[in-house]
């Protein structure tokens, strides 16, 4: 087991309960999609799994270690083996793409090499290779602020690919891309995971993409796991129950029946 | 319910705050004994006129210009050396005082642990102490320690400005988007590396502009300290004022104008490079 969560809960402040008693086990080399309605806790779960946020209750085991029972230094070492693709790429607009991508190895490099790399890119070829997988090699020396949302998202993915972690987590990695590009980019992520035998967990808005690319799918709703099964076993009723939204005002009479179920298809 | 929602709920607090500001302003004016009409009363207007009339013509004989050149260079040197000392203290102190480098904040939604936050207070206290004593007082102190001359001015500027720069640096570090740095720390990188890759790119222009502005202030401050014997243009102005040489004072004020314009142009140039 490479990733294990035992009775984990996460609260933001007092009011918001993002995760409730989540149990989860993921084996090495698995590829898992997280789906669920907005606010279901997908991002919270990924943040907990990536050791970015400490769960309020429960126990997390990652890569055979307990990150919240160790010192800062060893936790930082553990974190360098985990890559998280953020939903909004956390990259300063004034940074060049080559710097943003090479920041993926910052943990491995340490401060001195990191500072040197700011003055002159030390491994431009490595960064170019990571970008080339996502068809962005020509943007190596562009400013991140000048890229489109989809391009910036791919820079964020390239950074994590360049980090080459043992555990790859992705929070809505393709949300800013058009359907064709989204499909292609997910394909790249999955192929990469397969080739390097990396465990991949990604949250996705698009159910079809999740079913097409991932052997295992976890449905999350109200911070709880609704179902956890093979992609082939995800039946339409399960999806309907997962995405059912009683708060939405029904559309005007004529379309009411057709709109009753809100399964996002982007 | 509906009738309450149609009114802006922020309206009342805003009106109250405006009224409060006005009510507080009046006793402030009374306490400060501000009375602008004095300016137009017979004697004072004539005195000011005489003082200003002495400023013309500008002093421009070669001997004085050579003196002015030396004094200007000395002023610039005092300001620059003082800023260098200030930066040596302010950069590490700003990093220590700021939440931007907090590992615990990165995994707690921006709120550091309470004891980690408590550790920042001594540094903040030091910065407050450094800048709460005016530079002129530091200068008087150092004039006693190292004697008359520019050294006292350099030390005084270095100490006071370290307090100002450190405080504002810490606030600039905190005011930019923290997510890039947090993301890097959550991926295992060290604090300083995360700072250089995640915060510095966004904060650089702001830091640069504030630093150049402070350098400009240091030029002016070095002049005030010249009055207490810490060298530079200030000492010259003091001498010229005592000798009622208005033309010399005016020439030196013009030099100031040029120096401030120079600082302004430098700031604009650097911001243009960084933005």
């Amino acid at each position: 087991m490479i990733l294990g969560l035992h009775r984990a809960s996460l609260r933001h402040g007092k009011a918001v309960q993002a995760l409730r008693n989540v149990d989860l086990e993921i084996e090495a080399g698995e590829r898992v999609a997280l789906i669920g309605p907005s606010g279901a806790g997908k991002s919270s779960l990924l943040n907990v799994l990536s050791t970015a946020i400490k769960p309020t209750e429960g126990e997390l085991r990652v890569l055979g270690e307990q990150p919240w029972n160790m010192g800062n230094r060893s936790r930082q070492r553990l974190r360098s083996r985990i890559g998280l693709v953020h939903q909004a790429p956390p990259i300063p607009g004034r940074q060049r793409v080559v710097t943003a991508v090479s920041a993926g190895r910052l943990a491995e490099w340490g401060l001195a090499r990191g500072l040197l790399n700011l003055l002159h890119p030390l491994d431009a070829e490595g960064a170019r290779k990571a970008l080339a997988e996502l068809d962005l090699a020509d943007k190596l020396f562009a400013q991140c602020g000048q890229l489109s949302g989809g391009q910036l998202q791919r820079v964020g993915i390239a950074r994590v690919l360049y980090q080459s972690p043992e555990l790859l987590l992705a929070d809505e990695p393709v949300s800013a891309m058009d359907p064709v590009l989204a499909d292609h980019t997910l394909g790249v992520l999955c192929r990469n995971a397969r080739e390097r035998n990396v465990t991949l967990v990604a949250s996705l808005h698009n159910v079809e993409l999740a079913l097409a690319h991932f052997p295992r799918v976890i449905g999350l709703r109200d911070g709880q796991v609704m179902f956890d099964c093979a992609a082939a076993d995800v039946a339409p009723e399960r999806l309907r129950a997962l995405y059912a939204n009683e708060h939405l005002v029904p559309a005007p009479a004529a379309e009411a029946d057709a709109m009753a179920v809100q399964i996002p298809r982007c | 319910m509906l009738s309450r929602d149609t009114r802006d709920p922020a309206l009342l607090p805003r009106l109250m705050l405006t009224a409060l500001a006005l009510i507080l302003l009046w006793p402030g004016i009374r306490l400060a004994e501000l009375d602008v009409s004095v300016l137009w009363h017979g004697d004072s207007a004539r005195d000011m006129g005489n003082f200003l009339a002495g400023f013309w013509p500008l002093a421009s004989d070669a001997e004085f210009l050579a003196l002015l050149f030396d004094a200007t260079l000395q002023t610039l040197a005092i300001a620059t050396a003082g800023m260098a000392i200030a930066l040596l203290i302010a950069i590490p102190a700003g990093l220590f005082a700021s939440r931007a480098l907090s590992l615990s904040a990165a995994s707690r939604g921006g709120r550091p642990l309470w004891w980690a936050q408590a550790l920042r207070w001594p540094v903040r206290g030091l910065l407050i102490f450094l800048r709460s004593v005016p530079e002129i007082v530091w200068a008087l102190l150092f004039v006693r320690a190292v004697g008359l001359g520019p050294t006292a001015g350099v030390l005084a500027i270095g100490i006071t400005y370290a307090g100002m720069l450190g405080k504002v640096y810490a606030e600039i570090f905190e005011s930019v988007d923290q997510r890039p740095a947090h993301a890097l720390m959550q991926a295992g990188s060290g604090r300083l590396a995360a700072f250089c890759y995640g915060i510095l790119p966004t904060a650089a222009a702001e830091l640069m502009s504030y630093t150049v502005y402070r350098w400009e202030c240091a030029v002016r401050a070095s002049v005030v300290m010249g009055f207490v014997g810490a060298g530079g243009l200030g000492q010259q102005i003091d001498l010229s004022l005592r000798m009622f040489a208005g033309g010399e004072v005016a020439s030196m004020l013009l030099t100031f104008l040029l120096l401030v314009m120079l600082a302004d142009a430098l700031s604009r140039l650097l911001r243009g490079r960084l933005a």
Side-chain angles (χ1 to χ4, degrees), chain A residues 13 47 50-54 68 72 75-77 79-82 84 86 88 90-95 99-100 102-104 106-107 109-111 113-115 117-118 159 163, chain B residues 103-109 111 113 115 177-205 273-275:
Chain A
N47 273 316
S50 73
T51 75
I53 298 181
K54 184 182 179 179
W68 298 106
N72 272 348
R75 190 185 316 121
Q76 289 302 89
R77 256 203 308 279
R79 279 171 163 179
S80 70
R81 297 158 61 197
I82 307 168
L84 173 64
H86 293 255
I91 295 171
R94 286 203 359 80
Q95 201 160 51
T99 317
S102 51
L106 214 45
W109 285 353
L111 182 60
R113 197 152 173 219
L115 289 180
N117 183 62
L118 271 185
R159 167 192 280 189
Q163 184 187 345
Chain B
L103 261 184
S104 57
S107 49
R108 289 162 48 89
R111 285 170 296 115
L113 291 168
W115 57 265
D177 187 6
Q178 306 284 300
R179 282 173 310 172
H182 283 177
L184 288 170
M185 287 195 267
Q186 283 160 2
S189 89
R191 297 155 197 255
L192 266 182
F195 171 80
C196 293
Y197 277 75
I199 290 185
L200 216 48
T202 329
R273 292 285 305 155
L274 287 172

Side-chain angles (χ1 to χ4, degrees), chain B residues 167-246:
Chain B
K167 171 204 154 72
V168 176
Y169 282 179
E171 283 171 5
I172 291 177
F173 298 157
E174 284 177 16
S175 71
V176 302
D177 187 6
Q178 306 284 300
R179 282 173 310 172
H182 283 177
L184 288 170
M185 287 195 267
Q186 283 160 2
S189 89
R191 297 155 197 255
L192 266 182
F195 171 80
C196 293
Y197 277 75
I199 290 185
L200 216 48
T202 329
E206 194 78 9
L207 291 174
M208 186 57 71
S209 124
Y210 184 71
T211 310
V212 175
Y213 169 66
R214 267 297 145 202
W215 177 76
E216 182 192 314
C217 293
V219 168
R220 271 191 301 269
S222 73
V223 170
V224 175
M225 283 180 295
F227 276 64
V228 298
L233 271 174
Q235 213 159 346
Q236 280 310 315
I237 291 190
D238 189 32
L239 286 175
S240 301
L241 277 175
R242 278 165 207 245
M243 296 187 301
F244 298 104

Side-chain angles (χ1 to χ4, degrees), chain A residues 62-251:
Chain A
V62 187
L63 302 170
E65 315 236 27
Q66 288 187 299
W68 298 106
N69 286 351
M70 50 187 5
N72 272 348
R73 194 173 283 267
S74 25
R75 190 185 316 121
Q76 289 302 89
R77 256 203 308 279
L78 174 66
R79 279 171 163 179
S80 70
R81 297 158 61 197
I82 307 168
L84 173 64
V85 179
H86 293 255
Q87 184 169 13
I91 295 171
R94 286 203 359 80
Q95 201 160 51
R96 291 195 300 171
V97 170
V98 59
T99 317
V101 172
S102 51
R105 295 243 172 110
L106 214 45
E108 185 188 319
W109 285 353
L111 182 60
R113 197 152 173 219
L115 289 180
L116 215 59
N117 183 62
L118 271 185
L119 296 178
H120 178 75
L122 297 175
D123 185 21
E125 278 322 300
R128 195 197 297 276
K129 238 180 86 195
L131 286 164
E133 297 204 47
L134 300 153
D135 304 319
L136 271 182
D138 55 324
K139 298 287 184 199
L140 186 64
F141 291 111
Q143 289 254 328
C144 289
Q146 286 160 359
L147 301 182
S148 75
Q151 288 171 331
L152 195 61
Q153 212 163 27
R154 281 183 284 163
V155 172
I157 296 174
R159 167 192 280 189
V160 176
L161 290 183
Y162 183 67
Q163 184 187 345
S164 51
E166 295 163 46
L167 169 62
L168 209 167
L169 306 166
D171 191 1
E172 308 274 0
V174 295
S175 59
M177 300 179 204
D178 67 62
V180 176
L181 192 57
D183 188 55
H184 171 75
T185 307
L186 267 187
V188 170
L189 262 180
C190 288
R191 200 189 63 228
N192 240 284
R194 227 177 11 243
E195 282 169 3
R196 302 186 194 178
N197 198 26
V198 165
T199 315
L200 173 65
V201 183
S203 72
L204 290 166
H205 261 312
N206 189 318
V207 177
E208 282 155 8
L209 281 180
L211 297 181
H213 287 281
F214 292 84
R216 178 176 166 192
V217 176
I218 296 175
L220 211 62
R221 186 185 165 95
D222 287 335
Q224 284 171 312
V225 175
M226 291 278 283
F227 58 80
D228 178 354
C229 58
D233 298 338
V234 179
E237 308 86 70
R238 279 183 153 170
L239 289 178
R240 223 165 291 150
L242 184 68
Y243 285 104
N245 191 334
E246 53 272 26
H247 296 300
L248 285 187
V249 180

Side-chain angles (χ1 to χ4, degrees), chain B residues 38-61:
Chain B
V38 180
L39 288 178
W40 288 278
H41 274 288
D43 281 353
S44 49
R46 200 171 52 244
D47 285 350
M48 285 199 307
N50 286 340
F51 183 70
L52 287 178
F55 280 20
W56 194 261
L58 298 178
S60 57
D61 52 299

Side-chain angles (χ1 to χ4, degrees), chain B residues 2 17 32 35 42 73 83 117 138 156 200 214 257:
Chain B
L2 251 178
L17 277 175
D35 184 5
L73 275 189
M83 280 297 283
Q117 192 60 9
W138 286 116
L200 216 48
R214 267 297 145 202
L257 187 72

